[in-house]
């Protein structure tokens, strides 16, 4: 079992779905976990789930598009806990439609949240991680950032940017003991996917060699691995967790 006792983690978008699964897994591994969400209720729900493992947790309401708020959250975590060892950039949204129908708001909202939000968080944790000469950053991407998908050009572009961000920061931070990796989930059963039409789900299943949809636990276990010393010589990579869907 992965042991992250004494470590501190920040998970953005940790109220539900993949983020909530990662919060619970980190807490179960011994981490103190700070959770962000767009609402106080959502953030507290994620923190409450973390506390079920008997560890400390903090809840912060904030929009990842607000760089000042992100910096303030990181500063408060470091002031209270003394360090920040793990950052998981999970917060994300979709605004799916064909590009010819896509509004400026559809483009800006997805790019600002999914890509710029992750950049702001990485920048905010850089100083404390560089000072302590240790840390790991895990960016949650998507196989859509690798394969593309009709009707998701904004989302795919943002997630492809996450892969480039991950590789670039791995080169920037590696000499100071900071690892930066990404996870590209495939079709995962979450609140975001449960209301999709049955034919969409069946179409996805037909493309998955392992013949099942992914679960949040599949992504959480990948995040635990990348956060642990078992991945001590892994940086700048994107771990695809999709049941073979993208091959």
């Amino acid at each position: 079992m992965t042991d992250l006792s004494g470590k501190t983690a920040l998970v953005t978008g940790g109220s539900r779905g993949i983020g909530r699964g990662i919060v619970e897994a980190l807490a179960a591994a011994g981490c103190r976990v700070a959770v962000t969400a767009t609402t106080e209720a959502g953030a507290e729900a994620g923190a409450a789930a973390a506390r079920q493992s008997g560890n400390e947790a903090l809840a912060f309401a904030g929009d990842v598009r607000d760089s000042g708020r992100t910096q303030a959250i990181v500063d408060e975590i470091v002031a209270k806990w003394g360090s920040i060892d793990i950052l998981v950039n999970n917060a994300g949204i979709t605004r799916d439609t064909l590009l010819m129908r896509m509004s400026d708001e559809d483009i800006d909202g997805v790019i600002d949240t999914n890509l710029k939000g992750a950049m702001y968080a990485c920048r905010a944790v850089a100083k404390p991680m560089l000072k302590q000469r240790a840390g790991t950053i895990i960016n949650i991407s998507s196989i859509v950032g690798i394969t593309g998908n009709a009707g998701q050009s904004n989302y795919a572009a943002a997630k492809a940017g996450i892969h480039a961000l991950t590789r670039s920061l791995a080169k920037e931070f590696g000499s100071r003991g900071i690892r930066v990796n990404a996870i590209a989930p495939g079709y995962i059963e979450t609140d975001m996917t449960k209301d999709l039409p049955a034919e969409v789900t069946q179409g996805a299943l037909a493309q998955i060699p392992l013949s099942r949809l992914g679960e949040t636990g599949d992504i959480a276990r990948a995040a635990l691995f990348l956060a642990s010393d078992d991945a001590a010589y892994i940086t700048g990579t994107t771990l695809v967790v999709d049941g073979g869907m993208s091959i």
Side-chain angles (χ1 to χ4, degrees):
M1 180 177 177
T2 302
D3 185 4
L4 298 174
S5 298
K7 301 288 187 180
T8 65
L10 168 60
V11 181
T12 68
S15 63
R16 58 193 177 94
I18 289 172
R20 175 74 165 266
I22 292 173
V23 165
E24 293 174 349
L26 288 171
C31 272
R32 294 173 292 187
V33 185
V35 181
T36 76
T38 54
T39 66
E40 290 184 9
E44 184 51 46
R51 295 186 191 107
Q52 293 296 312
S53 294
N55 294 302
E56 290 182 78
L58 298 173
F60 296 98
D63 190 328
V64 294
R65 296 175 297 181
D66 183 343
S67 63
R69 177 59 177 154
T70 296
Q71 184 65 63
I73 289 170
V74 169
D75 290 346
E76 187 169 338
I77 293 167
V78 173
K80 183 173 179 61
W81 286 341
S83 68
I84 184 160
D85 304 299
I86 300 161
L87 167 65
V88 181
N89 280 310
N90 172 73
I93 62 171
T94 57
R95 296 290 185 268
D96 298 348
T97 191
L98 297 175
L99 181 62
M100 62 184 294
R101 299 173 184 165
M102 201 172 282
S103 68
D104 290 353
E105 291 76 15
D106 292 332
I107 295 171
D108 292 342
V110 170
I111 297 294
D112 288 351
T113 300
N114 297 11
L115 179 56
K116 290 174 66 177
M119 293 183 75
Y120 292 152
C122 289
R123 185 176 65 184
V125 303
K127 186 175 181 179
M129 284 188 176
L130 289 169
K131 184 177 180 180
Q132 66 200 30
R133 302 186 71 88
T136 184
I137 297 171
I138 301 167
N139 297 317
I140 305 301
S141 179
S142 168
I143 60 166
V144 172
I146 300 171
T147 64
N149 195 36
Q152 287 193 305
S153 58
N154 50 357
Y155 186 76
K159 293 304 188 180
I162 287 292
H163 300 156
L165 172 67
T166 297
R167 292 190 291 271
S168 297
L169 293 185
K171 291 182 176 182
E172 286 188 25
F173 297 160
S175 64
R176 300 298 287 270
I178 301 165
R179 297 183 296 105
V180 188
N181 292 292
I183 298 172
Y187 198 113
I188 308 299
E189 289 186 289
T190 65
D191 291 344
M192 189 179 291
T193 60
K194 71 178 182 180
D195 293 328
L196 290 174
E199 59 268 25
V200 173
T201 301
Q202 290 304 313
L205 271 172
Q207 301 176 57
I208 301 173
L210 290 184
S211 301
R212 71 171 178 87
L213 302 181
E215 301 172 353
T216 57
D218 294 316
I219 309 304
R221 286 186 290 274
L224 277 184
F225 166 68
L226 290 175
S228 75
D229 288 342
D230 290 337
Y233 201 55
I234 299 174
T235 195
T237 194
T238 295
L239 177 58
V240 177
V241 186
D242 69 348
M245 187 176 184
S246 60
I247 60 175

